[in-house]
Amino acid sequence: MNNTLDTYNYSRQFILVEDQDKKIRKRVNSDVELIDIDDYLWKVITTISMQSFEGKMYHLIQHEDKKLGWIELEDSIQILRFPAQHYKVIEERFNNNEINSNMNIEKDFISHFKGKLLNIKSQIIYNDEIYYSVFIKDKFHGFHHHSVLDPMRECDIEIDKDRLDDNIQLYKVSNLTKPVEGEYDIEALKLISVFQEAKVGKARVNQQDNFWIDLASIENLTLDLGEEGQKSIEELKLDDIFYSINSERKKSKEIVKTVLNAKDFLNDKKNKKISSDQLRASSHSDEELNSKYNELKKEHQEQGKLLRKTTGDLKLAEKRLDQQKDYSSRLEAQKDKYKKRMETVEEKLKNLDAKYKELKEKTTQK
């Protein structure tokens, strides 16, 4: 399934890591106009489309808003995106890594991360290790090893009122710096999420308000949330496809909304004082807007087809997995059955051997 997912033509993101001698082609079927990749190595690039040529898969790429051309991506690192998740930095474990150095991201990360709620929006696999992208208020702060980040884990733990410290303090933010002012009578408290390393939790108080608390203020608290499961590479790539589709849909909706608002404005009969030059310009803009609208409509339909195809492939893969599990279960049952039969045969052989020895001894005595 992994190979199938790699053939889907959708917008991806990569960190460009290729041989310096490799070139970017202006046209996929021509090596006449070539661009050096030196200025774009270890930069985040976005793929616009993909096309097979002479047995190789080429990607049409852009850097920021600049379209560059076509290139075969062999060693580049795919950025696997997903909806944002909350983490905190584990200060005592933190150290910078060569990825950020290669990307020329040099800063005092701890001073930026300390006490902050970090948003993780994607991951990469580098030297067989997982690194997460860190954002604070939509600003990118590099990739960091998963072991230096403390995930916010969801839970559902009712806490008896008698287990709370008499002076328990409720806070408005996760770094526990903005206490809730005034007296707050706690009748019921339930932990709904926790940072296990930071020992900070979000609690629903009196079944209505959410606040942050220091977990040390709860007596005899034992968190048994188990290990956080890691998704397979296939699941991560599926998440990336859905992320791309949803992102494109969101952009399309925003553009279509802008186009329709512009069309309404241009067609507003109240604007009678428009000069002839303005009217000609408005007519020209209307054609462009109609063209863009039809283009976005076509893109939306194609994205819908891709989503339906991807969903179908996922269901087929799940069905095959269930069949494989069922086959494995039946095979295991046959093994157990065979094992029991062998044990019975061995027991009978032992009894037969004992009887033979007994008979032999009697014969010898005679």
Side-chain angles (χ1 to χ4, degrees):
M1 186 178 179
N2 194 9
N3 292 334
T4 304
L5 295 176
D6 289 337
T7 62
Y8 286 147
N9 193 355
Y10 75 98
S11 179
R12 299 167 166 87
Q13 283 191 333
F14 290 85
I15 301 174
L16 188 64
V17 184
E18 300 291 337
D19 191 299
Q20 288 185 334
D21 294 332
K22 187 173 285 190
K23 306 292 183 183
I24 300 172
R25 299 177 173 215
K26 276 293 185 181
R27 295 179 180 81
V28 70
N29 57 356
S30 172
D31 57 1
V32 176
E33 296 182 78
L34 302 175
I35 301 173
D36 291 332
I37 66 172
D38 295 13
D39 292 339
Y40 305 104
L41 288 174
W42 287 97
K43 297 288 192 299
V44 176
I45 53 108
T46 302
T47 67
I48 303 171
S49 183
M50 39 192 303
Q51 185 176 329
S52 179
F53 177 68
E54 295 183 342
K56 297 179 180 179
M57 186 62 71
Y58 286 85
H59 292 263
L60 178 60
I61 64 171
Q62 70 178 40
H63 176 249
E64 296 179 345
D65 293 329
K66 182 181 179 181
K67 188 183 292 185
L68 301 178
W70 298 85
I71 188 172
E72 182 189 9
L73 299 175
E74 295 179 285
D75 301 319
S76 294
I77 305 167
Q78 184 175 358
I79 300 172
L80 299 165
R81 300 158 295 179
F82 43 74
Q85 301 170 0
H86 294 314
Y87 282 70
K88 280 184 173 292
V89 68
I90 305 174
E91 294 182 45
E92 58 272 19
R93 296 184 194 169
F94 186 85
N95 62 295
N96 198 8
N97 57 74
E98 64 180 44
I99 299 173
N100 295 322
S101 299
N102 290 333
M103 296 182 74
N104 199 28
I105 304 174
E106 300 286 352
K107 61 178 72 175
D108 183 0
F109 289 108
I110 287 295
S111 65
H112 282 83
F113 295 169
K114 188 173 183 178
K116 299 283 181 60
L117 203 58
L118 309 178
N119 288 322
I120 306 301
K121 298 184 179 182
S122 61
Q123 77 169 60
I124 61 172
I125 299 174
Y126 179 71
N127 290 338
D128 296 325
E129 295 287 335
I130 297 172
Y131 292 80
Y132 291 133
S133 65
V134 174
F135 288 79
I136 301 176
K137 295 182 179 179
D138 292 328
K139 184 177 181 181
F140 177 55
H141 288 270
F143 288 94
H144 301 277
H145 196 271
H146 70 93
S147 65
V148 304
L149 297 169
D150 182 16
M152 185 171 79
R153 304 285 303 277
E154 292 185 357
C155 60
D156 187 7
I157 305 173
E158 296 282 354
I159 304 297
D160 192 84
K161 185 178 178 181
D162 295 336
R163 294 173 57 194
L164 302 177
D165 286 353
D166 293 336
N167 298 321
I168 185 173
Q169 181 66 62
L170 305 177
Y171 297 89
K172 298 177 182 178
V173 292
S174 64
N175 59 8
L176 310 184
T177 56
K178 294 184 179 180
V180 175
E181 298 177 356
E183 295 185 4
Y184 199 101
D185 188 19
I186 301 176
E187 295 297 331
L189 186 144
K190 179 169 69 173
L191 280 179
I192 57 176
S193 58
V194 295
F195 291 102
Q196 294 190 87
E197 293 290 337
K199 301 190 186 319
V200 173
K202 180 182 279 190
R204 181 156 297 148
V205 182
N206 297 342
Q207 300 180 346
Q208 56 182 2
D209 298 319
N210 292 342
F211 297 111
W212 293 94
I213 62 170
D214 184 347
L215 296 182
S217 61
I218 302 175
E219 294 181 4
N220 301 320
L221 177 64
T222 301
L223 295 174
D224 187 16
L225 303 180
E227 291 291 327
E228 188 177 25
Q230 291 291 341
K231 290 188 175 182
S232 67
I233 190 67
E234 289 82 5
E235 291 172 318
L236 289 168
K237 287 186 176 182
L238 278 171
D239 285 345
D240 190 63
I241 291 174
F242 291 133
Y243 181 94
S244 179
I245 291 172
N246 290 331
S247 179
E248 291 299 321
R249 279 183 171 178
K250 185 177 179 181
K251 289 178 184 176
S252 297
K253 286 180 181 179
E254 291 174 353
I255 294 173
V256 169
K257 185 177 179 180
T258 302
V259 168
L260 293 175
N261 288 339
K263 287 181 71 175
D264 289 341
F265 174 77
L266 292 170
N267 294 327
D268 192 347
K269 294 181 180 180
K270 294 180 180 179
N271 295 304
K272 295 179 180 179
K273 295 183 179 180
I274 299 177
S275 65
S276 59
D277 289 341
Q278 289 175 314
L279 188 59
R280 283 194 294 272
S282 297
S283 177
H284 177 68
S285 298
D286 198 28
E287 287 180 17
E288 290 181 341
L289 292 172
N290 274 318
S291 175
K292 186 64 179 176
Y293 175 77
N294 291 328
E295 180 185 336
L296 289 170
K297 185 178 179 181
K298 184 179 178 182
E299 281 185 20
H300 181 73
Q301 291 171 342
E302 290 176 351
Q303 293 287 357
K305 289 179 182 178
L306 175 60
L307 178 60
R308 288 191 293 273
K309 187 178 187 315
T310 304
T311 303
D313 288 343
L314 178 59
K315 288 181 178 178
L316 179 60
E318 289 176 343
K319 183 178 179 181
R320 288 174 177 171
L321 181 60
D322 289 338
Q323 289 173 343
Q324 184 66 33
K325 288 179 179 178
D326 181 60
Y327 173 76
S328 298
S329 298
R330 285 188 281 111
L331 184 63
E332 198 65 33
Q334 287 177 350
K335 285 181 179 179
D336 292 340
K337 189 176 181 180
Y338 177 75
K339 185 178 178 181
K340 288 180 180 178
R341 284 180 179 176
M342 288 302 297
E343 288 174 351
T344 302
V345 170
E346 287 177 359
E347 187 65 28
K348 287 182 178 180
L349 285 173
K350 286 180 181 179
N351 293 336
L352 186 63
D353 185 58
K355 288 181 179 178
Y356 171 76
K357 288 180 179 178
E358 183 181 351
L359 181 62
K360 187 177 181 181
E361 286 177 0
K362 289 180 179 180
T363 304
T364 304
Q365 289 173 359
K366 288 180 180 180

